[in-house]
PDB file of all heavy atoms in Angstrom:
ATOM      1  N   GLU N  22      -7.230 -10.857   7.086  1.00 97.00           N
ATOM      2  CA  GLU N  22      -6.529 -10.436   8.302  1.00 97.00           C
ATOM      3  C   GLU N  22      -5.265  -9.641   7.991  1.00 97.00           C
ATOM      4  O   GLU N  22      -4.958  -8.640   8.681  1.00 97.00           O
ATOM      5  CB  GLU N  22      -6.161 -11.652   9.143  1.00 97.00           C
ATOM      6  CG  GLU N  22      -5.515 -11.342  10.478  1.00 97.00           C
ATOM      7  CD  GLU N  22      -5.273 -12.577  11.312  1.00 97.00           C
ATOM      8  OE1 GLU N  22      -5.824 -13.668  10.987  1.00 97.00           O
ATOM      9  OE2 GLU N  22      -4.493 -12.434  12.277  1.00 97.00           O
ATOM     10  N   LYS N  23      -4.505 -10.073   7.000  1.00 97.00           N
ATOM     11  CA  LYS N  23      -3.294  -9.347   6.656  1.00 97.00           C
ATOM     12  C   LYS N  23      -3.569  -7.919   6.150  1.00 97.00           C
ATOM     13  O   LYS N  23      -2.781  -6.995   6.371  1.00 97.00           O
ATOM     14  CB  LYS N  23      -2.484 -10.152   5.612  1.00 97.00           C
ATOM     15  CG  LYS N  23      -1.818 -11.388   6.194  1.00 97.00           C
ATOM     16  CD  LYS N  23      -0.901 -12.012   5.190  1.00 97.00           C
ATOM     17  CE  LYS N  23      -0.205 -13.221   5.835  1.00 97.00           C
ATOM     18  NZ  LYS N  23       0.762 -13.886   4.876  1.00 97.00           N
ATOM     19  N   ILE N  24      -4.706  -7.743   5.503  1.00 98.00           N
ATOM     20  CA  ILE N  24      -5.073  -6.443   5.023  1.00 98.00           C
ATOM     21  C   ILE N  24      -5.527  -5.538   6.195  1.00 98.00           C
ATOM     22  O   ILE N  24      -5.167  -4.383   6.229  1.00 98.00           O
ATOM     23  CB  ILE N  24      -6.231  -6.553   3.988  1.00 98.00           C
ATOM     24  CG1 ILE N  24      -5.760  -7.344   2.769  1.00 98.00           C
ATOM     25  CG2 ILE N  24      -6.681  -5.168   3.537  1.00 98.00           C
ATOM     26  CD1 ILE N  24      -4.470  -6.824   2.094  1.00 98.00           C
ATOM     27  N   VAL N  25      -6.235  -6.110   7.141  1.00 98.00           N
ATOM     28  CA  VAL N  25      -6.650  -5.369   8.312  1.00 98.00           C
ATOM     29  C   VAL N  25      -5.373  -4.859   9.052  1.00 98.00           C
ATOM     30  O   VAL N  25      -5.274  -3.710   9.448  1.00 98.00           O
ATOM     31  CB  VAL N  25      -7.484  -6.235   9.256  1.00 98.00           C
ATOM     32  CG1 VAL N  25      -7.714  -5.481  10.612  1.00 98.00           C
ATOM     33  CG2 VAL N  25      -8.809  -6.580   8.616  1.00 98.00           C
ATOM     34  N   GLY N  26      -4.404  -5.743   9.192  1.00 98.00           N
ATOM     35  CA  GLY N  26      -3.148  -5.356   9.842  1.00 98.00           C
ATOM     36  C   GLY N  26      -2.416  -4.298   9.100  1.00 98.00           C
ATOM     37  O   GLY N  26      -1.858  -3.331   9.704  1.00 98.00           O
ATOM     38  N   PHE N  27      -2.340  -4.416   7.782  1.00 98.00           N
ATOM     39  CA  PHE N  27      -1.659  -3.411   6.941  1.00 98.00           C
ATOM     40  C   PHE N  27      -2.325  -2.079   7.040  1.00 98.00           C
ATOM     41  O   PHE N  27      -1.671  -1.030   7.195  1.00 98.00           O
ATOM     42  CB  PHE N  27      -1.655  -3.893   5.483  1.00 98.00           C
ATOM     43  CG  PHE N  27      -0.892  -2.978   4.553  1.00 98.00           C
ATOM     44  CD1 PHE N  27       0.444  -2.775   4.618  1.00 98.00           C
ATOM     45  CD2 PHE N  27      -1.595  -2.285   3.563  1.00 98.00           C
ATOM     46  CE1 PHE N  27       1.120  -1.934   3.752  1.00 98.00           C
ATOM     47  CE2 PHE N  27      -0.995  -1.439   2.669  1.00 98.00           C
ATOM     48  CZ  PHE N  27       0.403  -1.253   2.759  1.00 98.00           C
ATOM     49  N   ARG N  28      -3.673  -2.049   6.965  1.00 98.00           N
ATOM     50  CA  ARG N  28      -4.399  -0.785   7.125  1.00 98.00           C
ATOM     51  C   ARG N  28      -4.165  -0.137   8.476  1.00 98.00           C
ATOM     52  O   ARG N  28      -3.999   1.079   8.559  1.00 98.00           O
ATOM     53  CB  ARG N  28      -5.886  -1.055   6.894  1.00 98.00           C
ATOM     54  CG  ARG N  28      -6.288  -1.385   5.460  1.00 98.00           C
ATOM     55  CD  ARG N  28      -7.801  -1.736   5.447  1.00 98.00           C
ATOM     56  NE  ARG N  28      -8.300  -1.936   4.097  1.00 98.00           N
ATOM     57  CZ  ARG N  28      -9.546  -2.340   3.831  1.00 98.00           C
ATOM     58  NH1 ARG N  28     -10.407  -2.551   4.835  1.00 98.00           N
ATOM     59  NH2 ARG N  28      -9.961  -2.520   2.602  1.00 98.00           N
ATOM     60  N   ASN N  29      -4.146  -0.949   9.485  1.00 98.00           N
ATOM     61  CA  ASN N  29      -3.980  -0.416  10.847  1.00 98.00           C
ATOM     62  C   ASN N  29      -2.606   0.184  11.015  1.00 98.00           C
ATOM     63  O   ASN N  29      -2.444   1.211  11.695  1.00 98.00           O
ATOM     64  CB  ASN N  29      -4.192  -1.556  11.908  1.00 98.00           C
ATOM     65  CG  ASN N  29      -5.650  -1.913  12.057  1.00 98.00           C
ATOM     66  OD1 ASN N  29      -6.517  -1.079  11.734  1.00 98.00           O
ATOM     67  ND2 ASN N  29      -5.909  -3.078  12.602  1.00 98.00           N
ATOM     68  N   ARG N  30      -1.571  -0.441  10.412  1.00 98.00           N
ATOM     69  CA  ARG N  30      -0.216   0.114  10.487  1.00 98.00           C
ATOM     70  C   ARG N  30      -0.147   1.483   9.840  1.00 98.00           C
ATOM     71  O   ARG N  30       0.529   2.408  10.336  1.00 98.00           O
ATOM     72  CB  ARG N  30       0.801  -0.814   9.844  1.00 98.00           C
ATOM     73  CG  ARG N  30       0.964  -2.146  10.635  1.00 98.00           C
ATOM     74  CD  ARG N  30       1.694  -3.165   9.843  1.00 98.00           C
ATOM     75  NE  ARG N  30       3.084  -2.913   9.806  1.00 98.00           N
ATOM     76  CZ  ARG N  30       4.008  -3.613   9.090  1.00 98.00           C
ATOM     77  NH1 ARG N  30       3.543  -4.633   8.292  1.00 98.00           N
ATOM     78  NH2 ARG N  30       5.260  -3.339   9.105  1.00 98.00           N
ATOM     79  N   ILE N  31      -0.853   1.671   8.767  1.00 98.00           N
ATOM     80  CA  ILE N  31      -0.893   2.960   8.085  1.00 98.00           C
ATOM     81  C   ILE N  31      -1.652   3.968   8.949  1.00 98.00           C
ATOM     82  O   ILE N  31      -1.157   5.082   9.169  1.00 98.00           O
ATOM     83  CB  ILE N  31      -1.570   2.808   6.696  1.00 98.00           C
ATOM     84  CG1 ILE N  31      -0.720   1.990   5.778  1.00 98.00           C
ATOM     85  CG2 ILE N  31      -1.808   4.242   6.089  1.00 98.00           C
ATOM     86  CD1 ILE N  31      -1.363   1.672   4.421  1.00 98.00           C
ATOM     87  N   ALA N  32      -2.790   3.542   9.431  1.00 98.00           N
ATOM     88  CA  ALA N  32      -3.660   4.460  10.194  1.00 98.00           C
ATOM     89  C   ALA N  32      -2.986   4.926  11.493  1.00 98.00           C
ATOM     90  O   ALA N  32      -3.120   6.071  11.900  1.00 98.00           O
ATOM     91  CB  ALA N  32      -4.984   3.782  10.562  1.00 98.00           C
ATOM     92  N   ASN N  33      -2.178   4.042  12.093  1.00 98.00           N
ATOM     93  CA  ASN N  33      -1.506   4.354  13.368  1.00 98.00           C
ATOM     94  C   ASN N  33      -0.213   5.091  13.207  1.00 98.00           C
ATOM     95  O   ASN N  33       0.386   5.559  14.254  1.00 98.00           O
ATOM     96  CB  ASN N  33      -1.311   3.069  14.185  1.00 98.00           C
ATOM     97  CG  ASN N  33      -2.628   2.444  14.600  1.00 98.00           C
ATOM     98  OD1 ASN N  33      -3.632   3.102  14.800  1.00 98.00           O
ATOM     99  ND2 ASN N  33      -2.619   1.067  14.740  1.00 98.00           N
ATOM    100  N   ALA N  34       0.300   5.228  12.025  1.00 98.00           N
ATOM    101  CA  ALA N  34       1.588   5.894  11.792  1.00 98.00           C
ATOM    102  C   ALA N  34       1.368   7.404  11.754  1.00 98.00           C
ATOM    103  O   ALA N  34       0.355   7.889  11.306  1.00 98.00           O
ATOM    104  CB  ALA N  34       2.178   5.397  10.485  1.00 98.00           C
ATOM    105  N   ASP N  35       2.444   8.132  12.210  1.00 98.00           N
ATOM    106  CA  ASP N  35       2.383   9.581  12.110  1.00 98.00           C
ATOM    107  C   ASP N  35       2.727  10.062  10.700  1.00 98.00           C
ATOM    108  O   ASP N  35       2.479  11.218  10.358  1.00 98.00           O
ATOM    109  CB  ASP N  35       3.386  10.206  13.114  1.00 98.00           C
ATOM    110  CG  ASP N  35       3.003   9.913  14.544  1.00 98.00           C
ATOM    111  OD1 ASP N  35       1.823  10.181  14.891  1.00 98.00           O
ATOM    112  OD2 ASP N  35       3.847   9.415  15.307  1.00 98.00           O
ATOM    113  N   GLY N  36       3.276   9.137   9.929  1.00 98.00           N
ATOM    114  CA  GLY N  36       3.652   9.524   8.530  1.00 98.00           C
ATOM    115  C   GLY N  36       4.125   8.243   7.808  1.00 98.00           C
ATOM    116  O   GLY N  36       4.353   7.187   8.411  1.00 98.00           O
ATOM    117  N   ILE N  37       4.146   8.340   6.478  1.00 98.00           N
ATOM    118  CA  ILE N  37       4.542   7.194   5.621  1.00 98.00           C
ATOM    119  C   ILE N  37       5.623   7.605   4.708  1.00 98.00           C
ATOM    120  O   ILE N  37       5.686   8.714   4.210  1.00 98.00           O
ATOM    121  CB  ILE N  37       3.338   6.716   4.763  1.00 98.00           C
ATOM    122  CG1 ILE N  37       2.101   6.508   5.589  1.00 98.00           C
ATOM    123  CG2 ILE N  37       3.654   5.499   3.947  1.00 98.00           C
ATOM    124  CD1 ILE N  37       2.125   5.329   6.525  1.00 98.00           C
ATOM    125  N   ILE N  38       6.551   6.677   4.485  1.00 98.00           N
ATOM    126  CA  ILE N  38       7.598   6.864   3.406  1.00 98.00           C
ATOM    127  C   ILE N  38       7.504   5.633   2.482  1.00 98.00           C
ATOM    128  O   ILE N  38       7.666   4.525   2.961  1.00 98.00           O
ATOM    129  CB  ILE N  38       9.016   6.997   3.990  1.00 98.00           C
ATOM    130  CG1 ILE N  38       9.105   8.285   4.819  1.00 98.00           C
ATOM    131  CG2 ILE N  38      10.006   7.054   2.821  1.00 98.00           C
ATOM    132  CD1 ILE N  38      10.492   8.453   5.479  1.00 98.00           C
ATOM    133  N   ILE N  39       7.256   5.899   1.223  1.00 98.00           N
ATOM    134  CA  ILE N  39       7.249   4.798   0.273  1.00 98.00           C
ATOM    135  C   ILE N  39       8.524   4.916  -0.587  1.00 98.00           C
ATOM    136  O   ILE N  39       8.845   6.012  -1.076  1.00 98.00           O
ATOM    137  CB  ILE N  39       6.052   4.892  -0.682  1.00 98.00           C
ATOM    138  CG1 ILE N  39       4.741   4.660   0.087  1.00 98.00           C
ATOM    139  CG2 ILE N  39       6.160   3.878  -1.821  1.00 98.00           C
ATOM    140  CD1 ILE N  39       3.436   4.811  -0.751  1.00 98.00           C
ATOM    141  N   CYS N  40       9.229   3.842  -0.677  1.00 98.00           N
ATOM    142  CA  CYS N  40      10.445   3.778  -1.546  1.00 98.00           C
ATOM    143  C   CYS N  40      10.277   2.627  -2.481  1.00 98.00           C
ATOM    144  O   CYS N  40      10.167   1.470  -2.033  1.00 98.00           O
ATOM    145  CB  CYS N  40      11.711   3.652  -0.639  1.00 98.00           C
ATOM    146  SG  CYS N  40      13.230   3.851  -1.597  1.00 98.00           S
ATOM    147  N   THR N  41      10.298   2.892  -3.743  1.00 98.00           N
ATOM    148  CA  THR N  41       9.949   1.855  -4.707  1.00 98.00           C
ATOM    149  C   THR N  41      10.766   1.982  -5.986  1.00 98.00           C
ATOM    150  O   THR N  41      11.166   3.050  -6.399  1.00 98.00           O
ATOM    151  CB  THR N  41       8.435   1.985  -5.071  1.00 98.00           C
ATOM    152  OG1 THR N  41       8.123   0.937  -5.996  1.00 98.00           O
ATOM    153  CG2 THR N  41       8.096   3.320  -5.682  1.00 98.00           C
ATOM    154  N   PRO N  42      10.957   0.839  -6.678  1.00 98.00           N
ATOM    155  CA  PRO N  42      11.549   0.929  -8.032  1.00 98.00           C
ATOM    156  C   PRO N  42      10.459   1.187  -9.056  1.00 98.00           C
ATOM    157  O   PRO N  42       9.242   1.258  -8.720  1.00 98.00           O
ATOM    158  CB  PRO N  42      12.109  -0.490  -8.189  1.00 98.00           C
ATOM    159  CG  PRO N  42      11.237  -1.381  -7.404  1.00 98.00           C
ATOM    160  CD  PRO N  42      10.789  -0.551  -6.232  1.00 98.00           C
ATOM    161  N   GLU N  43      10.841   1.292 -10.290  1.00 98.00           N
ATOM    162  CA  GLU N  43       9.931   1.408 -11.390  1.00 98.00           C
ATOM    163  C   GLU N  43      10.020   0.072 -12.142  1.00 98.00           C
ATOM    164  O   GLU N  43      11.075  -0.394 -12.475  1.00 98.00           O
ATOM    165  CB  GLU N  43      10.318   2.520 -12.319  1.00 98.00           C
ATOM    166  CG  GLU N  43       9.506   2.622 -13.592  1.00 98.00           C
ATOM    167  CD  GLU N  43      10.099   3.652 -14.585  1.00 98.00           C
ATOM    168  OE1 GLU N  43      11.155   3.353 -15.167  1.00 98.00           O
ATOM    169  OE2 GLU N  43       9.529   4.762 -14.733  1.00 98.00           O
ATOM    170  N   TYR N  44       8.823  -0.519 -12.421  1.00 96.00           N
ATOM    171  CA  TYR N  44       8.789  -1.741 -13.181  1.00 96.00           C
ATOM    172  C   TYR N  44       7.999  -1.471 -14.460  1.00 96.00           C
ATOM    173  O   TYR N  44       6.798  -1.120 -14.406  1.00 96.00           O
ATOM    174  CB  TYR N  44       8.109  -2.865 -12.451  1.00 96.00           C
ATOM    175  CG  TYR N  44       8.904  -3.498 -11.295  1.00 96.00           C
ATOM    176  CD1 TYR N  44       8.279  -4.282 -10.410  1.00 96.00           C
ATOM    177  CD2 TYR N  44      10.245  -3.197 -11.137  1.00 96.00           C
ATOM    178  CE1 TYR N  44       8.982  -4.847  -9.305  1.00 96.00           C
ATOM    179  CE2 TYR N  44      10.979  -3.760 -10.114  1.00 96.00           C
ATOM    180  CZ  TYR N  44      10.342  -4.551  -9.214  1.00 96.00           C
ATOM    181  OH  TYR N  44      11.065  -5.111  -8.154  1.00 96.00           O
ATOM    182  N   VAL N  45       8.601  -1.620 -15.645  1.00 95.00           N
ATOM    183  CA  VAL N  45       7.961  -1.409 -16.936  1.00 95.00           C
ATOM    184  C   VAL N  45       7.171  -0.090 -16.952  1.00 95.00           C
ATOM    185  O   VAL N  45       5.983  -0.005 -17.216  1.00 95.00           O
ATOM    186  CB  VAL N  45       6.986  -2.580 -17.308  1.00 95.00           C
ATOM    187  CG1 VAL N  45       6.659  -2.543 -18.813  1.00 95.00           C
ATOM    188  CG2 VAL N  45       7.567  -3.910 -16.935  1.00 95.00           C
ATOM    189  N   PHE N  46       7.890   0.972 -16.587  1.00 96.00           N
ATOM    190  CA  PHE N  46       7.344   2.357 -16.624  1.00 96.00           C
ATOM    191  C   PHE N  46       6.189   2.545 -15.676  1.00 96.00           C
ATOM    192  O   PHE N  46       5.340   3.485 -15.889  1.00 96.00           O
ATOM    193  CB  PHE N  46       6.909   2.780 -18.063  1.00 96.00           C
ATOM    194  CG  PHE N  46       8.035   2.578 -19.062  1.00 96.00           C
ATOM    195  CD1 PHE N  46       7.959   1.615 -20.027  1.00 96.00           C
ATOM    196  CD2 PHE N  46       9.139   3.411 -19.039  1.00 96.00           C
ATOM    197  CE1 PHE N  46       8.967   1.429 -20.931  1.00 96.00           C
ATOM    198  CE2 PHE N  46      10.165   3.231 -19.947  1.00 96.00           C
ATOM    199  CZ  PHE N  46      10.074   2.243 -20.910  1.00 96.00           C
ATOM    200  N   SER N  47       6.120   1.754 -14.628  1.00 97.00           N
ATOM    201  CA  SER N  47       5.001   1.871 -13.667  1.00 97.00           C
ATOM    202  C   SER N  47       5.481   1.480 -12.285  1.00 97.00           C
ATOM    203  O   SER N  47       6.630   1.097 -12.100  1.00 97.00           O
ATOM    204  CB  SER N  47       3.851   0.920 -14.112  1.00 97.00           C
ATOM    205  OG  SER N  47       2.747   1.023 -13.240  1.00 97.00           O
ATOM    206  N   ILE N  48       4.618   1.634 -11.278  1.00 98.00           N
ATOM    207  CA  ILE N  48       4.974   1.161  -9.954  1.00 98.00           C
ATOM    208  C   ILE N  48       4.766  -0.372  -9.933  1.00 98.00           C
ATOM    209  O   ILE N  48       3.951  -0.893 -10.717  1.00 98.00           O
ATOM    210  CB  ILE N  48       4.096   1.852  -8.839  1.00 98.00           C
ATOM    211  CG1 ILE N  48       2.642   1.427  -8.957  1.00 98.00           C
ATOM    212  CG2 ILE N  48       4.271   3.349  -8.863  1.00 98.00           C
ATOM    213  CD1 ILE N  48       1.776   1.916  -7.806  1.00 98.00           C
ATOM    214  N   PRO N  49       5.492  -1.044  -9.052  1.00 97.00           N
ATOM    215  CA  PRO N  49       5.351  -2.538  -8.948  1.00 97.00           C
ATOM    216  C   PRO N  49       3.910  -2.972  -8.640  1.00 97.00           C
ATOM    217  O   PRO N  49       3.190  -2.286  -7.963  1.00 97.00           O
ATOM    218  CB  PRO N  49       6.321  -2.901  -7.816  1.00 97.00           C
ATOM    219  CG  PRO N  49       7.277  -1.818  -7.772  1.00 97.00           C
ATOM    220  CD  PRO N  49       6.480  -0.543  -8.144  1.00 97.00           C
ATOM    221  N   SER N  50       3.536  -4.145  -9.156  1.00 97.00           N
ATOM    222  CA  SER N  50       2.169  -4.617  -8.950  1.00 97.00           C
ATOM    223  C   SER N  50       1.836  -4.883  -7.464  1.00 97.00           C
ATOM    224  O   SER N  50       0.744  -4.638  -7.010  1.00 97.00           O
ATOM    225  CB  SER N  50       1.952  -5.939  -9.727  1.00 97.00           C
ATOM    226  OG  SER N  50       2.876  -6.956  -9.308  1.00 97.00           O
ATOM    227  N   GLY N  51       2.847  -5.286  -6.709  1.00 97.00           N
ATOM    228  CA  GLY N  51       2.664  -5.537  -5.276  1.00 97.00           C
ATOM    229  C   GLY N  51       2.319  -4.265  -4.513  1.00 97.00           C
ATOM    230  O   GLY N  51       1.416  -4.260  -3.620  1.00 97.00           O
ATOM    231  N   LEU N  52       2.944  -3.162  -4.875  1.00 98.00           N
ATOM    232  CA  LEU N  52       2.635  -1.858  -4.226  1.00 98.00           C
ATOM    233  C   LEU N  52       1.284  -1.372  -4.641  1.00 98.00           C
ATOM    234  O   LEU N  52       0.519  -0.902  -3.826  1.00 98.00           O
ATOM    235  CB  LEU N  52       3.748  -0.873  -4.628  1.00 98.00           C
ATOM    236  CG  LEU N  52       3.533   0.584  -4.083  1.00 98.00           C
ATOM    237  CD1 LEU N  52       3.444   0.595  -2.579  1.00 98.00           C
ATOM    238  CD2 LEU N  52       4.689   1.470  -4.597  1.00 98.00           C
ATOM    239  N   LYS N  53       0.962  -1.508  -5.940  1.00 98.00           N
ATOM    240  CA  LYS N  53      -0.355  -1.050  -6.426  1.00 98.00           C
ATOM    241  C   LYS N  53      -1.453  -1.869  -5.733  1.00 98.00           C
ATOM    242  O   LYS N  53      -2.486  -1.316  -5.368  1.00 98.00           O
ATOM    243  CB  LYS N  53      -0.461  -1.212  -7.938  1.00 98.00           C
ATOM    244  CG  LYS N  53      -1.684  -0.592  -8.530  1.00 98.00           C
ATOM    245  CD  LYS N  53      -1.595  -0.560 -10.067  1.00 98.00           C
ATOM    246  CE  LYS N  53      -2.775   0.261 -10.643  1.00 98.00           C
ATOM    247  NZ  LYS N  53      -4.065  -0.377 -10.404  1.00 98.00           N
ATOM    248  N   ASN N  54      -1.205  -3.190  -5.573  1.00 98.00           N
ATOM    249  CA  ASN N  54      -2.209  -4.046  -4.936  1.00 98.00           C
ATOM    250  C   ASN N  54      -2.420  -3.593  -3.482  1.00 98.00           C
ATOM    251  O   ASN N  54      -3.572  -3.528  -3.028  1.00 98.00           O
ATOM    252  CB  ASN N  54      -1.665  -5.521  -4.926  1.00 98.00           C
ATOM    253  CG  ASN N  54      -2.643  -6.494  -4.298  1.00 98.00           C
ATOM    254  OD1 ASN N  54      -3.772  -6.644  -4.660  1.00 98.00           O
ATOM    255  ND2 ASN N  54      -2.160  -7.106  -3.209  1.00 98.00           N
ATOM    256  N   ALA N  55      -1.358  -3.265  -2.786  1.00 98.00           N
ATOM    257  CA  ALA N  55      -1.473  -2.782  -1.360  1.00 98.00           C
ATOM    258  C   ALA N  55      -2.257  -1.545  -1.245  1.00 98.00           C
ATOM    259  O   ALA N  55      -3.125  -1.379  -0.351  1.00 98.00           O
ATOM    260  CB  ALA N  55      -0.057  -2.656  -0.778  1.00 98.00           C
ATOM    261  N   ILE N  56      -2.012  -0.603  -2.182  1.00 98.00           N
ATOM    262  CA  ILE N  56      -2.730   0.647  -2.147  1.00 98.00           C
ATOM    263  C   ILE N  56      -4.194   0.447  -2.504  1.00 98.00           C
ATOM    264  O   ILE N  56      -5.079   1.071  -1.886  1.00 98.00           O
ATOM    265  CB  ILE N  56      -2.054   1.675  -3.155  1.00 98.00           C
ATOM    266  CG1 ILE N  56      -0.629   2.024  -2.698  1.00 98.00           C
ATOM    267  CG2 ILE N  56      -2.872   2.938  -3.229  1.00 98.00           C
ATOM    268  CD1 ILE N  56       0.157   2.763  -3.715  1.00 98.00           C
ATOM    269  N   GLU N  57      -4.456  -0.439  -3.458  1.00 98.00           N
ATOM    270  CA  GLU N  57      -5.873  -0.669  -3.844  1.00 98.00           C
ATOM    271  C   GLU N  57      -6.713  -1.162  -2.682  1.00 98.00           C
ATOM    272  O   GLU N  57      -7.857  -0.830  -2.538  1.00 98.00           O
ATOM    273  CB  GLU N  57      -5.901  -1.667  -5.010  1.00 98.00           C
ATOM    274  CG  GLU N  57      -5.497  -1.101  -6.349  1.00 98.00           C
ATOM    275  CD  GLU N  57      -5.500  -2.099  -7.450  1.00 98.00           C
ATOM    276  OE1 GLU N  57      -5.353  -3.307  -7.142  1.00 98.00           O
ATOM    277  OE2 GLU N  57      -5.651  -1.699  -8.598  1.00 98.00           O
ATOM    278  N   TRP N  58      -6.071  -1.944  -1.804  1.00 98.00           N
ATOM    279  CA  TRP N  58      -6.814  -2.449  -0.622  1.00 98.00           C
ATOM    280  C   TRP N  58      -7.195  -1.287   0.332  1.00 98.00           C
ATOM    281  O   TRP N  58      -8.041  -1.484   1.186  1.00 98.00           O
ATOM    282  CB  TRP N  58      -5.934  -3.475   0.150  1.00 98.00           C
ATOM    283  CG  TRP N  58      -6.009  -4.882  -0.373  1.00 98.00           C
ATOM    284  CD1 TRP N  58      -5.018  -5.553  -0.979  1.00 98.00           C
ATOM    285  CD2 TRP N  58      -7.141  -5.760  -0.292  1.00 98.00           C
ATOM    286  NE1 TRP N  58      -5.474  -6.831  -1.301  1.00 98.00           N
ATOM    287  CE2 TRP N  58      -6.727  -6.953  -0.877  1.00 98.00           C
ATOM    288  CE3 TRP N  58      -8.472  -5.637   0.220  1.00 98.00           C
ATOM    289  CZ2 TRP N  58      -7.602  -8.073  -0.985  1.00 98.00           C
ATOM    290  CZ3 TRP N  58      -9.292  -6.730   0.119  1.00 98.00           C
ATOM    291  CH2 TRP N  58      -8.896  -7.937  -0.504  1.00 98.00           C
ATOM    292  N   CYS N  59      -6.579  -0.148   0.172  1.00 98.00           N
ATOM    293  CA  CYS N  59      -6.862   0.982   1.097  1.00 98.00           C
ATOM    294  C   CYS N  59      -7.715   2.064   0.464  1.00 98.00           C
ATOM    295  O   CYS N  59      -8.127   3.005   1.188  1.00 98.00           O
ATOM    296  CB  CYS N  59      -5.467   1.578   1.512  1.00 98.00           C
ATOM    297  SG  CYS N  59      -4.418   0.469   2.430  1.00 98.00           S
ATOM    298  N   VAL N  60      -8.008   1.954  -0.830  1.00 97.00           N
ATOM    299  CA  VAL N  60      -8.730   3.013  -1.505  1.00 97.00           C
ATOM    300  C   VAL N  60     -10.116   3.236  -0.893  1.00 97.00           C
ATOM    301  O   VAL N  60     -10.585   4.378  -0.841  1.00 97.00           O
ATOM    302  CB  VAL N  60      -8.832   2.727  -3.041  1.00 97.00           C
ATOM    303  CG1 VAL N  60      -9.808   3.642  -3.708  1.00 97.00           C
ATOM    304  CG2 VAL N  60      -7.480   2.789  -3.684  1.00 97.00           C
ATOM    305  N   SER N  61     -10.792   2.174  -0.505  1.00 95.00           N
ATOM    306  CA  SER N  61     -12.141   2.313   0.047  1.00 95.00           C
ATOM    307  C   SER N  61     -12.172   2.804   1.479  1.00 95.00           C
ATOM    308  O   SER N  61     -13.245   2.966   2.063  1.00 95.00           O
ATOM    309  CB  SER N  61     -12.880   0.954  -0.035  1.00 95.00           C
ATOM    310  OG  SER N  61     -12.253   0.009   0.784  1.00 95.00           O
ATOM    311  N   THR N  62     -11.007   3.020   2.067  1.00 97.00           N
ATOM    312  CA  THR N  62     -10.873   3.501   3.469  1.00 97.00           C
ATOM    313  C   THR N  62     -10.358   4.946   3.458  1.00 97.00           C
ATOM    314  O   THR N  62     -10.106   5.513   2.397  1.00 97.00           O
ATOM    315  CB  THR N  62      -9.932   2.652   4.248  1.00 97.00           C
ATOM    316  OG1 THR N  62      -8.561   2.898   3.858  1.00 97.00           O
ATOM    317  CG2 THR N  62     -10.202   1.140   4.057  1.00 97.00           C
ATOM    318  N   THR N  63     -10.155   5.468   4.639  1.00 97.00           N
ATOM    319  CA  THR N  63      -9.567   6.796   4.790  1.00 97.00           C
ATOM    320  C   THR N  63      -8.205   6.797   5.443  1.00 97.00           C
ATOM    321  O   THR N  63      -7.747   7.813   5.955  1.00 97.00           O
ATOM    322  CB  THR N  63     -10.530   7.722   5.585  1.00 97.00           C
ATOM    323  OG1 THR N  63     -10.733   7.118   6.848  1.00 97.00           O
ATOM    324  CG2 THR N  63     -11.881   7.883   4.915  1.00 97.00           C
ATOM    325  N   VAL N  64      -7.562   5.583   5.444  1.00 98.00           N
ATOM    326  CA  VAL N  64      -6.310   5.491   6.218  1.00 98.00           C
ATOM    327  C   VAL N  64      -5.178   6.386   5.617  1.00 98.00           C
ATOM    328  O   VAL N  64      -4.301   6.815   6.361  1.00 98.00           O
ATOM    329  CB  VAL N  64      -5.787   4.045   6.245  1.00 98.00           C
ATOM    330  CG1 VAL N  64      -6.744   3.182   7.083  1.00 98.00           C
ATOM    331  CG2 VAL N  64      -5.610   3.456   4.842  1.00 98.00           C
TER     332      VAL N  64
END
């Protein structure tokens, strides 16, 4: 359910702004996890 809600918030937005730190020369695992949930969609 939380993923459905997250995807819908992206789909319904006119635009997105991501603001993130760098963890160990990469993006944070939480952000990567969130994006991975959306890869199979077109949101």
Side-chain angles (χ1 to χ4, degrees):
E22 184 177 346
K23 287 187 177 181
I24 299 304
V25 173
F27 181 68
R28 288 175 174 177
N29 286 339
R30 291 167 76 186
I31 294 173
N33 294 330
D35 295 309
I37 308 290
I38 296 176
I39 296 177
C40 189
T41 181
E43 174 190 73
Y44 288 168
V45 197
F46 306 110
S47 181
I48 66 172
S50 59
L52 177 58
K53 190 171 188 294
N54 179 61
I56 296 170
E57 285 178 336
W58 276 113
C59 300
V60 169
S61 64
T62 74
T63 58
V64 294

